[in-house]
Amino acid sequence: SVILKSEVGKGTTIEIRLPLTLAIIDGFLVKIGRSSYVIPLHAVVECIDAPNDRLHVNGDWAGHLDLRGEVLAFLELRRVFDVSEAMPDRRSIVVVRNGDSLAGLVVDQLMGEYQTVIKPLGKLFKHLRGISGSTVMGSGEVALILDVPALVKLATDREGGHEDAQTSKLTELVSIH
C-alpha cells in the first residue's frame, strides 16, 4: 500500500508498506557444514580467522576469546545447529553487533555479501530464537536468516553463565533444519 500525506508549505510524506515476502536485505552469506545461513549485513562488524587454539569453549557451544585485548563472547554455530560433517581446517568468526554488545559467530566458510528476499518461517517456527526468516537462493537451496539480537544475547548470557528456558528452543531447531 502507498499512503501520501501532504501539507501546504510543510511538505509531503510518502509511506510505502510491503509485505514481508517482498522485504529485501543485504546479508553476509556463510556456510556451516553444507548448510547456508545469512547474517544481516548491518550487524556485521568484521570477520577474523578462528584459530582453534584461541577459542575457549565454556559448555556445549558458547565461549570466549581474546580479541585485541578485549574478551569476545562467541557461539560455536556448528555445535548450536548440531552439524556432524567433518570440521574444516580453517574457520572464521563473524563479529556482530547488537546495540552496544558484540559477539562472535564461528562459521566454517565465508561466502560474501548476498542480497536476499526474506521469506517468513510460518506459524510453526515463529517462537524460535536465533532465526528470523529464510530465503531461497539461486540454486534452489534454502538458507536460514540469523536473528543477530537473539544470538548476541544467547552468547553473552551463556558466557556470563545465565541460561534461560528459551535456550533449549534454539537447539530444537537442529532437528528441524
Side-chain angles (χ1 to χ4, degrees), residues 39-50:
I39 302 169
L41 193 58
H42 68 83
V44 175
V45 175
E46 66 179 308
C47 298
I48 59 174
D49 282 334

Side-chain angles (χ1 to χ4, degrees), residues 87-127:
M87 188 180 308
D89 294 333
R90 183 176 174 189
R91 297 185 304 152
S92 299
I93 298 174
V94 180
V95 179
V96 294
R97 176 184 306 277
N98 180 46
D100 293 335
S101 299
L102 289 178
L105 304 175
V106 182
V107 301
D108 291 350
Q109 188 176 3
L110 303 173
M111 304 299 290
E113 291 185 30
Y114 186 77
Q115 195 171 56
T116 185
V117 176
I118 300 173
K119 300 285 186 189
L121 289 173
K123 293 178 184 178
L124 181 63
F125 303 106
K126 72 179 181 178
H127 297 295

Side-chain angles (χ1 to χ4, degrees), residues 1-2 16-26 115-120 134-135 145:
S1 65
V2 178
I16 301 173
R17 293 183 182 195
L18 299 173
L20 184 61
T21 56
L22 294 179
I24 297 175
I25 64 164
D26 289 324
Q115 195 171 56
T116 185
V117 176
I118 300 173
K119 300 285 186 189
S134 63
T135 187
I145 300 170

Side-chain angles (χ1 to χ4, degrees), residues 17-158:
R17 293 183 182 195
L18 299 173
L20 184 61
T21 56
L22 294 179
I24 297 175
I25 64 164
D26 289 324
F28 194 77
L29 187 64
V30 298
K31 282 218 173 244
I32 303 164
R34 289 179 289 204
S35 298
S36 298
Y37 298 84
V38 178
I39 302 169
L41 193 58
H42 68 83
V44 175
V45 175
E46 66 179 308
C47 298
I48 59 174
D49 282 334
N52 290 329
D53 62 338
R54 286 184 45 211
L55 300 178
H56 306 287
V57 178
N58 303 336
D60 293 334
W61 33 267
H64 68 279
L65 66 94
D66 179 2
L67 180 65
R68 295 184 291 277
E70 299 290 325
V71 175
L72 178 71
F74 69 83
L75 287 178
E76 176 69 73
L77 292 182
R78 173 175 272 281
R79 292 183 183 179
V80 170
F81 296 118
D82 196 26
V83 175
S84 60
E85 290 110 22
M87 188 180 308
D89 294 333
R90 183 176 174 189
R91 297 185 304 152
S92 299
I93 298 174
V94 180
V95 179
V96 294
R97 176 184 306 277
N98 180 46
D100 293 335
S101 299
L102 289 178
L105 304 175
V106 182
V107 301
D108 291 350
Q109 188 176 3
L110 303 173
M111 304 299 290
E113 291 185 30
Y114 186 77
Q115 195 171 56
T116 185
V117 176
I118 300 173
K119 300 285 186 189
L121 289 173
K123 293 178 184 178
L124 181 63
F125 303 106
K126 72 179 181 178
H127 297 295
L128 287 176
R129 286 182 17 166
I131 304 297
S132 62
S134 63
T135 187
V136 179
M137 300 172 47
S139 65
E141 175 187 4
V142 173
L144 295 176
I145 300 170
L146 299 179
D147 180 356
V148 171
L151 292 173
V152 169
K153 182 175 180 357
L154 185 61
T156 55
D157 285 354
R158 288 287 297 229

